[in-house]
Each structure stands twice: as C-alpha cells, then as structure tokens.
Amino acid sequence: MEKREGIGFFERYLTLWVALCILAGIAIGQWLPAVPATLGKLEYANVSIPVAVLIWLMIYPMMLKVDFQSVKNVGRRPKGILITGITNWLIKPFTMFGIAWLFFFVIFKNLIPVELADQYLAGAVLLGAAPCTAMVFVWSYLTKGDAAYTLVQVAVNDLIILVAFAPIVAFLLGVGGVLV
C-alpha cells in the first residue's frame, strides 16, 4: 500500500510566503529602486529574463514527474480538459469583464475618473482572458496531481490562447485591428 504524505511545511504556509514576498518586493521597490530598475533592463525580445527564469523554476519540478508514455492516455479522460476550456474561454473573461465593469463604473464610479476606469477595465480583461498556465503546473505539483494530464491540459489551453485571446479581448474592449 502506498503511503500518502500530508502537505509539507512550505505548502502549508504558502499564503504566508506569498505575502512575505509581496512585502519584500514592495520594500525593495521603495528603498532599493536600483534593484527593480536593473532587473527591468534584463530582457530579450520584450521578455523579462528574470521572470522567464522564475517561471521555468516554477514548472521544472512538475516537468520532472511527467511520464511522457502516459500522455497518450489522457484523451480517455477529456472531462477536465473540457471543463478547463469552457471555464477559461467561455466563462472567465466575460465574468471578469462584468465584475470589473460593475466595480469601476457602478460601485466606485464617483471615486475613479472615467479614463482611469477604462484603463483598469482593460487591465482586468487582459488578466481575465490570459490564464496563467505556469501556475497550473505549480498547483498540480503541490496537490500531487497527474503530471501527464496537467501537461496536456496546459498544452491544449496554450493552443486555445493562440486563437482565442485576441478576439475575446478585442470584443470585450471594443477595439479592432489587434496585431498578434
């Protein structure tokens, strides 16, 4: 019988670590502005090298667990992939737009200038329509999920991003001529 371990110390206090990292980032930005300025210069083709390295470090442990032979069996269980696709592309961007519009143009209408509200709405739509696939690997790893299934799920979602992101964002923000 396989012995299941509980979540470890790091995983148990993940919220605390994230909060501490946020506070550290704010403190560094406030008192050591040369650090983010220097890191901001480290980019190639408009891609931040430090961010790319950190994302790779996030997904690397999960990728080590993938049994690539078992990837071919994922198609026998399409339910998770279908739910993810429907949620990410037919529900989440539109819900994010609706919630952002409600807060920026109704609830906080008197506190936020219209031009700024438009920019906040655009930011919320861009975030809502762009699922963070690296985090899927992290959460799957932390929950001891099926690495092969996660790999296929992320790959399918990334393929959908290529064709659905720009049209959905253009539709929700009412812009045209979006160059991909």
Side-chain angles (χ1 to χ4, degrees), residues 126-140:
L126 289 170
L127 288 173
C132 181
T133 55
M135 285 308 299
V136 174
F137 282 113
V138 172
W139 296 122
S140 181

Side-chain angles (χ1 to χ4, degrees), residues 65-77 146-152:
K65 291 186 168 198
V66 174
D67 170 16
F68 289 97
Q69 292 299 321
S70 62
V71 167
K72 61 185 175 200
N73 298 324
V74 170
R76 296 183 184 148
R77 300 175 289 146
D146 182 341
Y149 198 89
T150 301
L151 177 67
V152 172

Side-chain angles (χ1 to χ4, degrees), residues 12-147:
R12 178 169 290 136
Y13 297 105
L14 187 59
T15 304
L16 175 64
W17 309 138
V18 170
L20 290 173
C21 286
I22 290 170
L23 291 173
I26 292 170
I28 290 169
Q30 191 70 29
W31 293 306
L32 301 169
V35 173
T38 302
L39 292 175
K41 293 176 185 173
L42 300 174
E43 68 175 43
Y44 178 76
N46 293 324
V47 174
S48 168
I49 302 300
V51 170
V53 168
L54 291 172
I55 288 176
W56 178 250
L57 290 174
M58 282 175 31
I59 66 172
Y60 185 72
M62 182 68 178
M63 294 302 289
L64 291 176
K65 291 186 168 198
V66 174
D67 170 16
F68 289 97
Q69 292 299 321
S70 62
V71 167
K72 61 185 175 200
N73 298 324
V74 170
R76 296 183 184 148
R77 300 175 289 146
K79 184 178 178 182
I81 294 171
L82 289 171
I83 290 171
T84 299
I86 290 167
T87 302
N88 281 345
W89 299 106
L90 298 179
I91 298 172
K92 189 170 58 85
F94 302 96
T95 305
M96 188 69 150
F97 174 85
I99 292 170
W101 185 86
L102 174 68
F103 277 91
F104 298 136
F105 292 98
V106 177
I107 296 174
F108 297 117
K109 178 181 180 180
N110 297 328
L111 299 174
I112 302 173
V114 174
E115 299 80 25
L116 189 57
D118 285 335
Q119 292 176 10
Y120 284 156
L121 178 68
V125 167
L126 289 170
L127 288 173
C132 181
T133 55
M135 285 308 299
V136 174
F137 282 113
V138 172
W139 296 122
S140 181
Y141 174 75
L142 291 175
T143 60
K144 298 170 181 54
D146 182 341

